[in-house]
Amino acid sequence: MEPIRTIVSRFVWLPLDDADTDQIIPARFLKTTSRVGLGAHLFADRRGPDFPLDQPDAKGAKVIVAGRNFGCGSSREHAPWALADAGFSAIIALGIADIFRANSIKNGIVPIVVDAAFHARLAADRAAEVVIDLDKLTVSIGKDGPSAPFVLDAFSRHCLMAGVDELGLLLAQTDAISAYEKRVEAAS
Amino acid sequence: MSGQTLFAKVWDAHVVAPETAATPATLYVDLHLVHEVTSPQAFDVLRERGLRVRRPDRTVATMDHSIPTTPRPARGPQLISDPEARAQIERLERNCAEFGVKLHALGDDQQGIVHVIAPEIGLTRPGMTITCGDSHTSTHGAFGALAFGIGTSEVGYVLATQCLLQRRPKTMRATMDGAPTRGVTAKDLVLALIAKIGTAGGTGHVIEYTGSAVRAMSMEERMTVCNMTIEGGARAGMIAPDDHTYQWLAGCPEAPKGAAWERALAYWRSLQTEPGAAFDRDVTIDVSALTPMITFGTDPSTAIPIGSPVPDAGGDPSRARSLAYMGVEAGKPLLGRKVDVVFVGSCTNARLSDLRQAASVVKGRRVAPGVRMMVVAGSQQVKKHAEAEGLDQIFRDAGAEWREPGCSMCIAMNGDRLEAGQYAVSTSNRNFEGRQGQGGRTFLASPLTAAAAAVTGRITDVRELMAG
Ligand code: SF4
C-alpha cells in the first residue's frame, strides 16, 4: 500500500444517502477470485449519462463526496477494491459505515466524515479542489479556502501514512498469541 | 456505576494485547467461518507470504452464496453451469484441502448458509468471538457470542494469526418488553427497531437485546433479531444465554459433552450483564404495540406497520429516489399491491420455525396465479427436518418451489433473481436497489407476511388469513 500524506484533487459530488456496498459493486461481480479489475464495475447499475461518475469532470478525480452512511450493508471488500481500482483514495461523507471504514483503510482509501455545514460548502463549490492533509487531519476547499478537521484514530492514520500492513503487525505478535492460547487452554 | 456487560465480559476474555492510544487491541477469534465469495483473495495472501492457517481446528468453511439452488444429484459433483461460480467453488475446495480447513461442501449433509449451519452444528457457543467475511455474522450473537463481519483482508489476518486489531466499540441496550400480538414475529420486532434507530443508528456500537420479549424468544427468533443488527449499522448484536440457549446446544453434535459440558455451562451462566452495568445508549421497543411490519423503500429502516400509508419523502432526495425506484406512492398503504415473487429464505428467516410459519399460512391454499413462490431452506439439516414434517409437501401442493439450501435470491449471484421491475415480498434482510436482481424491487417482511402475499398475490395483512 502506498503511503498517503496529502491528497489534492477535484471531487465527484455523489449526493447519495445509504450508498450500500451492493450499489458500489453489485453481487454478480463478486464471483471473481481476484481483487483487480473491479473498477470497471463501480456503481455498475447506476451508471449512465446522468450519473455523477460519468460526467466529463469526474475524470481523474480521487475523491468522492457522498451523503449519510456511505458503504453500509455487506462486508464485501470488493467495494473499496473497486473504488481504489477506479482511482479513488478518499471518501468524504456525512457518515461512513463501520465495516466499510475498516476495509477502506486497508486499501488506501481515507474515510472522512464532515458535518452538514462543511458538506454544504462542498456542494456550493463543486468545481473546486479539496486538499486532504493527514498530518493535520484537515480537509479544505482549495489551498486557502474553508477548512474542516476530521477524526481518524491514531492507528488508522499511521497505517495510511506509513502504508502499514496490519498482517505484519499481527504476525509480530505470534509469541503473545501463543501465550494467550496456552493460558486459555490451561484454564478450560 | 458497577457491573459488567455481557459484551465487556466476552471482549475482555479475548484481549491478547490491550488497546492503547496508539494501537487497537489484539483480539483473539475463537471461531472463523469461511465461504467461497470473500475468501479466495485471503488464501492467496497466505500463499504469497508462505503462511499457514494458524488454527484449522477453529476454522470451518461452507459454500452458500454463489451456488445454484436447483436439484442436486444424489452423488457425484454438482454441476455448476456458471463458469465463474464454478471456479469460485473449486477454488474454495482447493484452498480448504491445501490449508487443512474443514469444508461442508455441496453434497455434505451439513452444508448450508454459513450463519445457519454453525449454530446448528454447535460451533456457535456463548462467550465466543466469531468472525466471518460476511456482515450477517451478527446472527451468532443470539447465543451470547461476540460475532461480527469482516472484510477479506481481515479474513486473511484471522486465517494467519487467529487475531484482529480492533478498537473497543460502544454499547447500546435495546430493551424489548411486552408480548407480541397475533401475526407479529421476531422479524417484525427487529424491523421496528431499525425503523426507530435508522440504518446508521448503531454505527460504532454493539447492541445487547434484553427484555421480556427477548427472553421469551426461541433461539431461532433470537437469530433473526441478531442477524438484522447490521441493518441498523451495528456490527454485532448479543443476547445473554439462558435455558433456551443451553437446550439448543445440548442437542448439537459439536457441543461439549460430559464434564466439559458442566464446565462450559458454569462459564456460560457467568456471562449475564450485571445489574447497574452502563451502556452508552438505550432504546426501548414496546412489543405489545407492534403490528406486522413491511418495508416500502430501498433500505431496511423504511419499515412501516402493514396497514400504514407510505410516508412522504419530506423533501429528502434520497427518500424520493427510493420511492420512485420502488414505484410506490406516498400517502397510500402498500396493502393490496400486486407482487410477482415471494422468497422465503436467507440467513434471516430460513430456519425450521420460519418454514413452519410460512407453511401454516400456505397450507390448504394455492399460490396465487402469476406469482412465483420460492422456499429455500437455510441448510441441509433444515431441509431434512422440514421434509420429515411434510412442510415441503405443503409448499409443493400449493404450487411453490422447494429448492436446495443456499443464499439464493437474497443476493442474486447464483441464478436466483428478480427480473427488472418485478416486485418481491422477501424474508431476507436487504431491500437495496438491485440486491435481489438488477431492477428488482423488494418488500422485506416476515415469513408469515410473505406467505400471505404468495397465496393472495398481493401485499396482505396476514392476520386476515390466520385462524382464531
Ligand atoms: S443469505 Fe443473504 S445475507 Fe445471509 S449470508 Fe447469504 S447472502 Fe448474506
Side-chain angles (χ1 to χ4, degrees):
Chain A
M1 204 167 84
E2 287 299 305
I4 308 171
R5 182 163 291 265
T6 51
I7 299 166
V8 181
S9 168
R10 279 178 296 105
F11 61 89
V12 179
W13 175 252
L14 195 66
L16 299 175
D17 289 334
D18 295 303
D20 55 79
T21 53
D22 274 272
Q23 284 184 66
I24 298 172
I25 183 84
R28 62 183 183 280
F29 301 111
L30 268 48
K31 287 181 274 185
T32 177
T33 52
S34 158
R35 63 174 80 198
V36 296
L38 287 166
H41 309 303
L42 184 63
F43 283 101
D45 293 344
R46 303 292 299 266
R47 302 304 285 265
D50 296 333
F51 196 65
L53 283 175
D54 293 302
Q55 305 312 306
D57 54 0
K59 260 214 174 59
K62 294 184 196 148
V63 177
I64 287 178
V65 180
R68 294 185 299 257
N69 203 24
F70 189 87
C72 61
S74 154
S75 64
R76 59 189 71 166
E77 199 161 325
H78 308 68
W81 290 339
L83 286 160
D85 193 52
F88 292 101
S89 52
I91 303 292
I92 300 175
L94 289 169
I96 294 180
D98 286 343
I99 304 179
F100 178 83
R101 164 183 282 271
N103 287 340
S104 299
I105 288 161
K106 293 171 179 66
N107 290 281
I109 295 176
V110 187
I112 299 172
V113 173
V114 294
D115 64 15
F118 191 75
H119 198 257
R121 303 191 85 148
L122 286 163
D125 202 357
R126 295 186 205 169
E129 279 192 331
V130 289
V131 181
I132 296 163
D133 187 330
L134 278 182
D135 235 348
K136 292 194 252 162
L137 291 180
T138 56
V139 49
S140 42
I141 305 173
K143 284 250 182 310
D144 308 303
S147 169
F150 63 92
V151 177
L152 191 64
D153 72 278
F155 181 72
S156 299
R157 176 164 85 159
H158 171 68
C159 287
L160 286 163
M161 292 185 74
V164 167
D165 152 45
E166 285 183 35
L167 180 53
L169 295 179
L170 283 163
L171 287 166
Q173 296 186 50
T174 298
D175 289 348
I177 297 168
S178 299
Y180 172 88
E181 287 175 331
K182 272 214 194 80
R183 202 164 74 231
V184 169
E185 264 146 49
S188 65
Chain B
M1 271 299 189
S2 64
Q4 271 199 308
T5 60
L6 162 66
F7 160 75
K9 291 179 186 182
V10 180
W11 174 275
D12 290 347
H14 291 85
V15 171
V16 172
E19 136 174 59
T20 68
T23 54
T26 303
L27 194 73
Y28 194 81
V29 175
D30 290 322
L31 174 66
H32 187 201
L33 303 168
V34 171
H35 65 82
E36 74 275 24
V37 175
T38 56
S39 67
Q41 298 89 347
F43 281 109
D44 283 348
V45 169
L46 264 59
R47 225 174 262 116
E48 281 158 25
R49 299 173 68 146
L51 299 166
R52 304 298 307 162
V53 172
R54 181 180 175 90
R55 294 295 298 262
D57 59 326
R58 293 186 175 277
T59 312
V60 177
T62 190
M63 31 186 76
D64 51 8
H65 283 67
S66 60
I67 55 164
T69 60
T70 42
R72 290 173 194 160
R75 68 179 72 77
Q78 163 87 16
L79 268 183
I80 299 176
S81 51
D82 178 341
E84 273 189 304
R86 191 171 61 231
Q88 201 170 54
I89 293 298
E90 287 169 357
R91 182 69 81 87
L92 181 66
E93 285 173 340
R94 244 185 305 139
N95 284 334
C96 288
E98 181 181 337
F99 289 93
V101 171
K102 169 127 185 132
L103 170 65
H104 297 291
L106 293 183
D108 180 312
D109 78 343
Q110 289 177 329
Q111 176 268 336
I113 304 172
V114 60
H115 310 307
V116 178
I117 67 163
E120 210 168 67
I121 301 172
L123 299 170
T124 299
R125 301 198 284 267
M128 280 184 147
T129 45
I130 302 175
T131 61
C132 173
D134 190 284
S135 61
H136 292 100
T137 307
S138 58
T139 311
H140 307 266
F143 288 78
L146 174 61
F148 54 91
I150 56 178
T152 296
S153 293
E154 292 180 321
V155 170
Y157 307 165
V158 180
L159 288 173
T161 70
Q162 210 59 34
C163 287
L164 285 172
L165 296 170
Q166 292 286 303
R167 291 271 177 209
R168 188 186 179 103
K170 293 193 219 130
T171 54
M172 181 190 296
R173 175 168 50 195
T175 307
M176 297 176 164
D177 275 325
T181 56
R182 205 165 53 103
V184 176
T185 68
K187 181 66 160 290
D188 303 296
L189 266 62
V190 72
L191 284 172
L193 176 78
I194 298 162
K196 182 164 182 164
I197 67 173
T199 51
T203 303
H205 291 74
V206 167
I207 300 179
E208 180 175 344
Y209 298 96
T210 68
S212 60
V214 175
R215 294 272 69 96
M217 281 180 195
S218 70
M219 291 315 294
E220 298 191 333
E221 293 171 312
R222 293 177 188 185
M223 283 190 257
T224 298
V225 170
C226 287
N227 172 278
M228 294 286 290
T229 303
I230 183 67
E231 310 310 333
R235 284 173 85 177
M238 301 178 82
I239 294 175
D242 61 13
D243 287 341
H244 293 252
T245 324
Y246 314 140
Q247 266 159 30
W248 172 285
L249 281 161
C252 294
E254 291 283 325
K257 304 273 179 309
W261 169 267
E262 293 306 325
R263 273 201 307 279
L265 196 59
Y267 173 56
W268 298 343
R269 289 193 198 282
S270 75
L271 292 169
Q272 316 295 325
T273 290
E274 290 158 17
F279 288 82
D280 297 296
R281 252 189 93 185
D282 259 301
V283 290
T284 56
I285 296 278
D286 175 5
V287 172
S288 58
L290 297 180
T291 61
M293 303 287 286
I294 190 162
T295 63
F296 63 84
T298 55
D299 73 67
S301 76
T302 61
I304 50 173
I306 186 118
S308 295
V310 171
D312 189 81
D316 175 344
S318 283
R319 182 55 65 81
R321 180 188 160 83
S322 110
L323 295 185
Y325 179 86
M326 291 299 292
V328 300
E329 229 181 292
K332 289 200 179 152
L334 297 172
L335 283 176
R337 292 185 65 97
K338 282 190 62 160
V339 303
D340 304 296
V341 175
V342 168
F343 173 62
V344 176
S346 90
C347 57
T348 311
N349 279 129
R351 297 181 188 82
L352 192 57
S353 60
D354 301 312
L355 304 188
R356 281 185 188 142
Q357 286 189 348
S360 73
V361 174
V362 166
K363 190 170 182 168
R365 296 189 170 100
R366 296 279 310 164
V367 173
V371 175
R372 177 184 189 197
M373 182 185 198
M374 303 167 72
V375 185
V376 187
S379 69
Q380 292 294 346
Q381 290 299 309
V382 169
K383 179 164 179 272
K384 195 170 85 181
H385 286 117
E387 288 176 351
E389 289 181 14
L391 301 183
D392 61 320
Q393 210 49 53
I394 293 173
F395 291 119
R396 285 185 219 266
D397 288 349
E401 297 170 33
W402 177 251
R403 301 175 72 92
E404 290 294 317
C407 294
S408 185
M409 202 186 268
C410 174
I411 188 160
M413 61 179 293
N414 44 46
D416 299 347
R417 61 167 184 269
L418 296 176
E419 301 301 329
Q422 280 190 323
Y423 283 105
V425 176
S426 176
T427 69
S428 57
N429 40 58
R430 288 184 176 142
N431 51 358
F432 300 156
E433 280 188 31
R435 166 79 179 191
Q436 297 199 280
Q438 234 178 316
R441 301 184 276 196
T442 301
F443 301 109
L444 298 176
S446 72
L448 286 176
T449 300
V455 297
T456 60
R458 295 175 183 279
I459 293 178
T460 299
D461 187 335
V462 68
R463 294 172 296 186
E464 290 165 16
L465 303 182
M466 292 172 85

